Short mmCIF file of all heavy atoms in Angstrom, two decimals:
data_model
loop_
_atom_site.label_atom_id
_atom_site.label_comp_id
_atom_site.label_asym_id
_atom_site.label_seq_id
_atom_site.Cartn_x
_atom_site.Cartn_y
_atom_site.Cartn_z
N PHE A 240 5.19 21.46 34.58
CA PHE A 240 4.19 21.00 35.59
C PHE A 240 3.67 22.18 36.40
O PHE A 240 2.49 22.24 36.71
CB PHE A 240 4.87 19.97 36.51
CG PHE A 240 5.11 18.64 35.86
CD1 PHE A 240 6.37 18.33 35.40
CD2 PHE A 240 4.11 17.72 35.69
CE1 PHE A 240 6.61 17.11 34.80
CE2 PHE A 240 4.34 16.50 35.09
CZ PHE A 240 5.59 16.19 34.64
N ILE A 241 4.55 23.12 36.78
CA ILE A 241 4.12 24.27 37.57
C ILE A 241 3.19 25.16 36.73
O ILE A 241 2.25 25.74 37.23
CB ILE A 241 5.35 25.08 38.05
CG1 ILE A 241 6.19 24.20 39.00
CG2 ILE A 241 4.93 26.36 38.72
CD1 ILE A 241 7.50 24.83 39.40
N LYS A 242 3.51 25.27 35.41
CA LYS A 242 2.69 26.11 34.54
C LYS A 242 1.37 25.46 34.18
O LYS A 242 0.42 26.15 33.73
CB LYS A 242 3.47 26.41 33.26
CG LYS A 242 4.72 27.28 33.47
CD LYS A 242 5.44 27.46 32.17
CE LYS A 242 6.67 28.36 32.37
NZ LYS A 242 6.26 29.76 32.63
N LYS A 243 1.23 24.15 34.35
CA LYS A 243 0.06 23.41 33.88
C LYS A 243 -1.23 24.00 34.43
O LYS A 243 -2.18 24.31 33.67
CB LYS A 243 0.19 21.93 34.28
CG LYS A 243 -0.92 21.03 33.74
CD LYS A 243 -0.62 19.58 34.12
CE LYS A 243 -1.59 18.62 33.48
NZ LYS A 243 -2.95 18.79 33.97
N SER A 244 -1.33 24.16 35.75
CA SER A 244 -2.58 24.65 36.37
C SER A 244 -2.87 26.08 35.93
O SER A 244 -4.04 26.45 35.70
CB SER A 244 -2.46 24.59 37.88
OG SER A 244 -1.36 25.35 38.34
N MET A 245 -1.81 26.88 35.74
CA MET A 245 -2.01 28.27 35.33
C MET A 245 -2.64 28.37 33.94
O MET A 245 -3.57 29.14 33.72
CB MET A 245 -0.67 29.02 35.35
CG MET A 245 -0.75 30.49 34.92
SD MET A 245 0.85 31.31 35.01
CE MET A 245 1.77 30.43 33.74
N PHE A 246 -2.12 27.57 33.01
CA PHE A 246 -2.65 27.60 31.65
C PHE A 246 -4.06 27.02 31.59
O PHE A 246 -4.88 27.46 30.82
CB PHE A 246 -1.71 26.83 30.70
CG PHE A 246 -0.41 27.57 30.42
CD1 PHE A 246 0.79 26.89 30.56
CD2 PHE A 246 -0.41 28.90 30.09
CE1 PHE A 246 2.00 27.56 30.34
CE2 PHE A 246 0.78 29.57 29.86
CZ PHE A 246 1.99 28.93 29.98
N GLU A 247 -4.32 25.98 32.38
CA GLU A 247 -5.64 25.37 32.39
C GLU A 247 -6.69 26.32 32.96
O GLU A 247 -7.86 26.32 32.55
CB GLU A 247 -5.64 24.05 33.18
CG GLU A 247 -4.91 22.93 32.47
CD GLU A 247 -4.84 21.65 33.23
OE1 GLU A 247 -5.08 21.69 34.47
OE2 GLU A 247 -4.56 20.61 32.62
N GLU A 248 -6.28 27.17 33.93
CA GLU A 248 -7.20 28.19 34.49
C GLU A 248 -7.59 29.21 33.42
O GLU A 248 -8.69 29.81 33.46
CB GLU A 248 -6.54 28.90 35.65
CG GLU A 248 -6.47 28.06 36.94
CD GLU A 248 -5.69 28.76 38.03
OE1 GLU A 248 -5.28 29.93 37.82
OE2 GLU A 248 -5.49 28.13 39.08
N ASN A 249 -6.72 29.41 32.42
CA ASN A 249 -7.01 30.36 31.35
C ASN A 249 -7.75 29.76 30.19
O ASN A 249 -7.91 30.40 29.13
CB ASN A 249 -5.67 30.96 30.83
CG ASN A 249 -5.03 31.87 31.89
OD1 ASN A 249 -5.70 32.52 32.67
ND2 ASN A 249 -3.70 31.91 31.90
N GLY A 250 -8.19 28.51 30.34
CA GLY A 250 -9.03 27.90 29.32
C GLY A 250 -8.34 26.93 28.38
O GLY A 250 -8.96 26.39 27.46
N GLY A 251 -7.05 26.67 28.57
CA GLY A 251 -6.35 25.72 27.70
C GLY A 251 -6.29 24.34 28.32
O GLY A 251 -6.68 24.10 29.46
N PHE A 252 -5.75 23.39 27.54
CA PHE A 252 -5.51 22.02 28.01
C PHE A 252 -4.03 21.75 27.89
O PHE A 252 -3.40 22.18 26.92
CB PHE A 252 -6.26 20.98 27.19
CG PHE A 252 -7.75 21.08 27.27
CD1 PHE A 252 -8.54 20.73 26.17
CD2 PHE A 252 -8.38 21.51 28.43
CE1 PHE A 252 -9.90 20.83 26.24
CE2 PHE A 252 -9.76 21.61 28.50
CZ PHE A 252 -10.52 21.27 27.42
N ILE A 253 -3.45 21.03 28.85
CA ILE A 253 -2.07 20.62 28.69
C ILE A 253 -1.89 19.28 29.43
O ILE A 253 -2.38 19.10 30.55
CB ILE A 253 -1.08 21.68 29.25
CG1 ILE A 253 0.38 21.23 29.09
CG2 ILE A 253 -1.39 22.04 30.70
CD1 ILE A 253 1.37 22.35 29.33
N GLU A 254 -1.23 18.35 28.79
CA GLU A 254 -0.94 17.03 29.37
C GLU A 254 0.57 16.80 29.25
O GLU A 254 1.18 17.12 28.24
CB GLU A 254 -1.69 15.92 28.64
CG GLU A 254 -3.17 15.91 28.86
CD GLU A 254 -3.61 15.46 30.23
OE1 GLU A 254 -2.77 14.83 30.92
OE2 GLU A 254 -4.72 15.74 30.66
N ILE A 255 1.15 16.27 30.32
CA ILE A 255 2.60 16.08 30.40
C ILE A 255 2.96 14.67 30.84
O ILE A 255 2.34 14.14 31.77
CB ILE A 255 3.24 17.11 31.36
CG1 ILE A 255 2.87 18.55 30.97
CG2 ILE A 255 4.78 16.98 31.35
CD1 ILE A 255 3.26 19.59 31.97
N GLU A 256 3.92 14.08 30.16
CA GLU A 256 4.48 12.78 30.60
C GLU A 256 5.98 12.92 30.66
O GLU A 256 6.58 13.67 29.88
CB GLU A 256 4.06 11.66 29.61
CG GLU A 256 2.62 11.21 29.72
CD GLU A 256 2.33 10.02 28.84
OE1 GLU A 256 3.27 9.54 28.12
OE2 GLU A 256 1.18 9.58 28.84
N GLU A 257 6.60 12.17 31.54
CA GLU A 257 8.08 12.21 31.65
C GLU A 257 8.68 10.90 31.19
O GLU A 257 7.99 9.89 31.06
CB GLU A 257 8.47 12.46 33.12
CG GLU A 257 8.15 13.83 33.64
CD GLU A 257 8.72 14.11 35.00
OE1 GLU A 257 8.16 13.49 35.94
OE2 GLU A 257 9.65 14.92 35.12
N ASN A 258 9.97 10.94 30.93
CA ASN A 258 10.75 9.74 30.58
C ASN A 258 10.18 8.91 29.41
O ASN A 258 9.65 7.83 29.61
CB ASN A 258 10.91 8.83 31.82
CG ASN A 258 11.60 9.52 32.96
OD1 ASN A 258 12.56 10.27 32.76
ND2 ASN A 258 11.12 9.29 34.17
N PRO A 259 10.32 9.45 28.21
CA PRO A 259 10.85 10.75 27.83
C PRO A 259 9.78 11.83 27.91
O PRO A 259 8.59 11.57 27.89
CB PRO A 259 11.26 10.52 26.37
CG PRO A 259 10.29 9.51 25.87
CD PRO A 259 10.02 8.59 27.04
N LEU A 260 10.26 13.07 28.04
CA LEU A 260 9.36 14.20 28.21
C LEU A 260 8.50 14.37 26.96
O LEU A 260 9.01 14.51 25.84
CB LEU A 260 10.15 15.48 28.48
CG LEU A 260 9.31 16.75 28.70
CD1 LEU A 260 8.44 16.61 29.94
CD2 LEU A 260 10.20 17.97 28.76
N THR A 261 7.17 14.37 27.16
CA THR A 261 6.20 14.57 26.08
C THR A 261 5.13 15.51 26.59
O THR A 261 4.59 15.32 27.67
CB THR A 261 5.59 13.23 25.64
OG1 THR A 261 6.63 12.30 25.35
CG2 THR A 261 4.69 13.42 24.42
N ILE A 262 4.81 16.53 25.81
CA ILE A 262 3.83 17.53 26.22
C ILE A 262 2.82 17.72 25.10
O ILE A 262 3.21 17.92 23.93
CB ILE A 262 4.50 18.88 26.55
CG1 ILE A 262 5.62 18.69 27.58
CG2 ILE A 262 3.48 19.90 27.05
CD1 ILE A 262 6.47 19.95 27.79
N ALA A 263 1.55 17.64 25.45
CA ALA A 263 0.47 17.98 24.50
C ALA A 263 -0.19 19.26 24.90
O ALA A 263 -0.52 19.45 26.09
CB ALA A 263 -0.54 16.84 24.46
N ILE A 264 -0.36 20.18 23.97
CA ILE A 264 -0.84 21.54 24.27
C ILE A 264 -2.05 21.84 23.41
O ILE A 264 -2.04 21.67 22.18
CB ILE A 264 0.26 22.59 24.05
CG1 ILE A 264 1.47 22.29 24.92
CG2 ILE A 264 -0.27 23.99 24.29
CD1 ILE A 264 2.71 23.08 24.51
N VAL A 265 -3.12 22.36 24.03
CA VAL A 265 -4.28 22.86 23.33
C VAL A 265 -4.62 24.22 23.93
O VAL A 265 -5.10 24.28 25.08
CB VAL A 265 -5.49 21.90 23.46
CG1 VAL A 265 -6.71 22.49 22.71
CG2 VAL A 265 -5.15 20.53 22.87
N THR A 266 -4.35 25.30 23.21
CA THR A 266 -4.62 26.63 23.72
C THR A 266 -6.13 26.93 23.57
O THR A 266 -6.85 26.16 22.90
CB THR A 266 -3.84 27.67 22.94
OG1 THR A 266 -4.30 27.70 21.58
CG2 THR A 266 -2.34 27.34 22.93
N PRO A 267 -6.63 28.00 24.15
CA PRO A 267 -8.06 28.33 24.01
C PRO A 267 -8.54 28.44 22.56
O PRO A 267 -9.63 27.98 22.21
CB PRO A 267 -8.18 29.69 24.74
CG PRO A 267 -7.12 29.59 25.81
CD PRO A 267 -5.99 28.88 25.15
N ILE A 268 -7.73 29.06 21.67
CA ILE A 268 -8.12 29.16 20.27
C ILE A 268 -8.16 27.77 19.63
O ILE A 268 -9.10 27.46 18.88
CB ILE A 268 -7.15 30.08 19.49
CG1 ILE A 268 -7.47 31.56 19.83
CG2 ILE A 268 -7.30 29.87 17.97
CD1 ILE A 268 -6.54 32.57 19.13
N MET A 269 -7.18 26.93 19.92
CA MET A 269 -7.19 25.58 19.40
C MET A 269 -8.42 24.79 19.90
O MET A 269 -9.05 24.05 19.12
CB MET A 269 -5.90 24.83 19.82
CG MET A 269 -4.64 25.44 19.30
SD MET A 269 -3.18 24.60 19.99
CE MET A 269 -1.88 25.71 19.49
N LYS A 270 -8.74 24.97 21.18
CA LYS A 270 -9.90 24.31 21.77
C LYS A 270 -11.16 24.70 21.02
O LYS A 270 -12.00 23.85 20.71
CB LYS A 270 -9.96 24.67 23.26
CG LYS A 270 -11.12 24.07 24.03
CD LYS A 270 -11.09 24.56 25.45
CE LYS A 270 -12.30 24.12 26.24
NZ LYS A 270 -12.27 24.63 27.65
N ARG A 271 -11.37 26.01 20.82
CA ARG A 271 -12.57 26.50 20.13
C ARG A 271 -12.61 26.06 18.68
O ARG A 271 -13.69 25.86 18.10
CB ARG A 271 -12.69 28.00 20.29
CG ARG A 271 -13.10 28.49 21.67
CD ARG A 271 -13.38 30.00 21.66
NE ARG A 271 -12.16 30.75 21.57
CZ ARG A 271 -11.42 31.16 22.61
NH1 ARG A 271 -11.78 30.80 23.85
NH2 ARG A 271 -10.34 31.89 22.45
N ALA A 272 -11.42 25.95 18.06
CA ALA A 272 -11.39 25.53 16.64
C ALA A 272 -11.98 24.16 16.44
O ALA A 272 -12.54 23.85 15.37
CB ALA A 272 -9.93 25.58 16.11
N HIS A 273 -11.87 23.29 17.45
CA HIS A 273 -12.43 21.94 17.34
C HIS A 273 -13.94 21.94 17.36
O HIS A 273 -14.54 20.91 17.05
CB HIS A 273 -11.88 21.05 18.45
CG HIS A 273 -10.49 20.56 18.22
ND1 HIS A 273 -10.22 19.40 17.54
CD2 HIS A 273 -9.29 21.08 18.57
CE1 HIS A 273 -8.89 19.22 17.49
NE2 HIS A 273 -8.32 20.21 18.10
N SER A 274 -14.57 23.05 17.67
CA SER A 274 -16.03 23.12 17.65
C SER A 274 -16.57 23.58 16.33
O SER A 274 -17.77 23.70 16.15
CB SER A 274 -16.51 24.10 18.78
OG SER A 274 -16.10 25.43 18.50
N TYR A 275 -15.67 23.79 15.30
CA TYR A 275 -16.07 24.17 13.98
C TYR A 275 -15.84 23.04 13.00
O TYR A 275 -14.87 22.28 13.14
CB TYR A 275 -15.33 25.44 13.56
CG TYR A 275 -15.70 26.66 14.37
CD1 TYR A 275 -14.97 26.99 15.52
CD2 TYR A 275 -16.79 27.42 14.04
CE1 TYR A 275 -15.35 28.07 16.31
CE2 TYR A 275 -17.17 28.53 14.80
CZ TYR A 275 -16.42 28.86 15.94
OH TYR A 275 -16.80 29.91 16.72
N SER A 276 -16.70 22.93 12.02
CA SER A 276 -16.73 21.75 11.14
C SER A 276 -15.49 21.54 10.34
O SER A 276 -15.16 20.41 9.96
CB SER A 276 -17.95 21.83 10.20
OG SER A 276 -17.91 23.01 9.42
N PHE A 277 -14.72 22.62 10.03
CA PHE A 277 -13.52 22.44 9.23
C PHE A 277 -12.50 21.51 9.92
O PHE A 277 -11.64 20.92 9.25
CB PHE A 277 -12.86 23.79 8.88
CG PHE A 277 -12.21 24.49 10.04
CD1 PHE A 277 -10.94 24.16 10.46
CD2 PHE A 277 -12.90 25.53 10.70
CE1 PHE A 277 -10.37 24.83 11.54
CE2 PHE A 277 -12.30 26.22 11.75
CZ PHE A 277 -11.04 25.85 12.17
#
């Protein structure tokens, strides 16, 4: 949770849920990859 805002400021996405702990991560390269047709 503390790291969430830091990574989002660098251009990534992160979503977190608790009980049970589940984290979805999209880094800047992953984010840009979704803009390509492959």
Side-chain angles (χ1 to χ4, degrees):
F240 289 99
I241 297 174
K242 294 176 177 290
K243 185 176 187 294
S244 59
M245 180 179 66
F246 290 130
E247 288 179 343
E248 287 174 3
N249 292 327
F252 296 148
I253 182 169
E254 291 288 341
I255 305 171
E256 286 186 0
E257 291 187 291
N258 300 321
L260 180 64
T261 307
I262 306 171
I264 300 166
V265 178
T266 67
I268 285 179
M269 298 174 192
K270 178 182 174 181
R271 286 189 286 272
H273 282 272
S274 65
Y275 294 92
S276 59
F277 70 82

